[in-house]
């Protein structure tokens, strides 16, 4: 049995694959005759010999190393496997997918501002995405000394410079300190450019960087909310509407001011309706009285009443009452 020790073929593949691993190195083992290379979807395989890249293979599938891989390696293309001879090579498997991760400031960032001598403490949160773009740089700077490289390693590298970049781009061009969300796109674009430049040193590209929200201290947030509320109070009607909406949304234990303003508004509306009803009633009464008098007195077609307004005697169209002599026209 000793004659055949170490002569068995290998299967060169990414073992113990995890989604959070950026690359994994198959190393320090001898590749024997009949060995296979397995490349799965989302993986590239890089053959290295004596620390130098010999070939990069991107097609997924199972390949015979002797006939399908060795002929394409720059240094090993003429290598011949013997009965008891193999080749010691390293194979670096790279995850080609785009990684997306959340980020957030661990501690508040003090942004310089004239109103606060110590600076405005601000937190920020969002997402960033990245992918491997330069294999040669990745191997030269990272893979040469590491067995694997994970997303956590990238996040640690980004976190080390993120606070300074946030401070730089928030302070740039005098951004409105109390309305940073309106400038989130410009701030994100600036940070992405700087981060991409930093991570390119490791062969990694930052494909996107977004800021989901900014967070202010509780006291500052209360002042901002109060200022926004006061800006809405342009006149009594707008303030009443805001108070009514606030009271509806807080039916239990709501604001006393909101409740009072809603009752005041309702009282004013009821009072206005009562005044309108009284005015309508008075107008109807006056109209009815006038109509009644016209019906009782009566007026002929020539302008002479049918009955004397003094004694009630029929006038028969005369200009003077035949009974009392009252002038009729």
């Amino acid at each position: 049995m000793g004659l055949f020790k170490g002569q068995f073929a290998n299967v060169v593949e990414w073992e113990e694959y995890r989604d959070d691993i950026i690359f994994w190195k198959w190393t320090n083992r001898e590749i024997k005759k009949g060995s296979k290379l397995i490349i799965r979807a989302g993986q590239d395989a890089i053959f290295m010999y004596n620390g130098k890249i010999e070939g990069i293979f991107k097609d997924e599938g199972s390949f015979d190393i002797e006939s399908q891989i060795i002929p394409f390696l720059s240094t090993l293309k003429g290598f011949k496997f013997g009965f008891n001879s193999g080749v010691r090579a390293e194979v670096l498997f790279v995850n080609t997918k785009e990684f997306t991760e959340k980020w957030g400031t661990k501690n508040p960032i003090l942004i310089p501002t004239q109103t606060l001598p110590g600076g405005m403490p601000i937190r920020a949160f969002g997402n960033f995405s990245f992918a491997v773009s330069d294999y040669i740089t990745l191997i030269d700077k990272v893979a040469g000394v590491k067995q694997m490289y994970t997303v956590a390693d990238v996040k640690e590298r980004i976190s080390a410079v993120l606070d300074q970049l946030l401070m730089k781009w928030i302070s740039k061009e005098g951004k409105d300190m109390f309305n940073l969300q309106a400038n989130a796109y410009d701030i994100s674009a600036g940070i992405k450019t700087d981060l991409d430049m930093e991570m390119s040193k490791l062969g990694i590209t930052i494909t996107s960087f977004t800021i989901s929200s900014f967070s202010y201290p509780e006291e500052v947030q209360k002042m901002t909310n109060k200022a926004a509320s006061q800006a809405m109070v342009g006149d009594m009607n707008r303030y009443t509407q805001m108070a009514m909406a606030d009271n509806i949304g807080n039916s239990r234990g709501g604001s006393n001011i909101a409740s009072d303003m809603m009752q005041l508004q309702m009282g004013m509306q009821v009072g206005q309706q009562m005044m309108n009803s009284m005015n309508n009633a008075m107008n109807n009464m006056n109209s009815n009285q006038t109509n009644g008098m016209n019906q009782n007195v009566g007026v002929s077609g020539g302008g002479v009443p049918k009955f004397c307004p003094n004694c009630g005697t029929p006038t028969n169209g005369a200009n003077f009452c035949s009974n009392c002599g009252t002038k009729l026209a």
Side-chain angles (χ1 to χ4, degrees):
M1 294 295 294
L3 181 63
F4 297 97
K5 184 178 180 181
Q7 295 178 9
F8 299 104
N10 306 99
V11 176
V12 182
E13 62 180 335
W14 188 335
E15 301 168 0
E16 300 179 5
Y17 174 82
R18 292 190 346 229
D19 284 339
D20 66 326
I21 297 179
I22 300 170
F23 72 75
W24 180 85
K25 188 187 298 182
W26 190 96
T27 184
N28 198 30
R29 278 174 281 181
E30 190 175 25
I31 300 174
K32 294 290 186 177
K33 185 179 180 68
S35 295
K36 298 287 185 181
L37 171 66
I38 297 177
I39 303 176
R40 295 182 174 85
Q43 301 176 5
D44 285 353
I46 305 174
F47 262 77
M48 294 185 295
Y49 183 69
N50 292 333
K52 178 183 176 183
I53 295 179
E54 292 290 324
I56 300 175
F57 301 90
K58 299 185 177 183
D59 295 333
E60 60 184 270
S62 177
F63 306 92
D64 180 78
I65 292 180
E66 182 179 9
S67 62
Q68 296 177 284
I69 301 298
I70 292 295
F72 297 95
L73 303 182
S74 56
T75 302
L76 299 174
K77 63 176 58 178
F79 182 84
K80 299 296 182 180
F81 286 95
F83 179 74
N84 194 29
S85 64
V87 58
R88 286 195 175 275
E90 295 179 338
V91 182
L92 186 71
F93 289 92
V94 179
N95 194 331
T96 61
K97 77 173 185 178
E98 182 180 70
F99 298 87
T100 299
E101 289 293 315
K102 295 180 180 179
W103 64 268
T105 52
K106 295 181 180 179
N107 300 304
I109 304 171
L110 295 177
I111 306 299
T113 176
Q114 296 180 353
T115 57
L116 295 175
M120 172 73 75
I122 292 176
R123 294 177 182 268
F125 307 90
N127 299 280
F128 69 93
S129 299
F130 67 93
V132 177
S133 58
D134 186 344
Y135 290 161
I136 296 177
T137 302
L138 182 71
I139 292 171
D140 183 48
K141 298 296 184 180
V142 184
V145 295
K146 286 181 175 288
Q147 176 69 24
M148 68 173 64
Y149 200 54
T150 67
V151 170
D153 295 322
V154 173
K155 290 183 68 174
E156 183 179 358
R157 181 72 176 244
I158 289 178
S159 297
V161 298
L162 189 55
D163 287 3
Q164 290 80 3
L165 293 180
L166 278 166
M167 185 179 297
K168 169 186 173 181
W169 287 98
I170 289 175
S171 303
K172 192 175 180 64
E173 299 178 359
K175 302 293 186 184
D176 183 358
M177 198 64 60
F178 296 96
N179 194 22
L180 290 176
Q181 199 62 43
N183 299 299
Y185 180 82
D186 293 335
I187 297 173
S188 298
I191 293 176
K192 176 184 176 296
T193 299
D194 286 352
L195 273 182
D196 189 48
M197 186 179 301
E198 176 68 23
M199 297 307 297
S200 66
K201 300 174 183 178
L202 304 181
I204 292 174
T205 293
I206 301 297
T207 55
S208 70
F209 184 90
T210 59
I211 299 175
S212 300
S213 64
F214 291 96
S215 176
Y216 299 91
E218 183 178 358
E219 295 78 6
V220 175
Q221 190 64 53
K222 288 181 179 179
M223 293 175 61
T224 303
N225 293 340
K226 184 176 181 180
S229 299
Q230 291 175 347
M232 292 176 62
V233 187
D235 51 49
M236 179 61 72
N237 288 334
R238 292 179 63 190
Y239 184 77
T240 302
Q241 293 171 0
M242 182 180 67
M244 291 176 66
D246 182 66
N247 189 75
I248 292 172
N250 299 276
S251 57
R252 292 185 178 181
S255 170
N256 291 332
I257 296 177
S259 178
D260 293 343
M261 291 306 301
M262 184 177 69
Q263 294 177 8
L264 175 61
Q265 178 71 3
M266 294 176 65
M268 292 173 63
Q269 292 177 353
V270 172
Q272 184 65 39
Q273 292 176 357
M274 292 179 63
M275 289 295 296
N276 292 338
S277 298
M278 293 177 63
N279 289 334
N280 291 335
M282 290 296 294
N283 291 335
N284 290 336
M285 183 181 297
N286 293 334
S287 177
N288 291 335
Q289 289 177 351
T290 302
N291 292 335
M293 291 178 63
N294 289 335
Q295 291 175 359
N296 291 332
V297 175
V299 180
S300 65
V304 177
K306 295 180 179 180
F307 300 93
C308 175
N310 186 39
C311 64
T313 303
T315 61
N316 297 321
N319 291 329
F320 294 92
C321 178
S322 61
N323 182 40
C324 64
T326 300
K327 184 177 181 179
L328 302 175

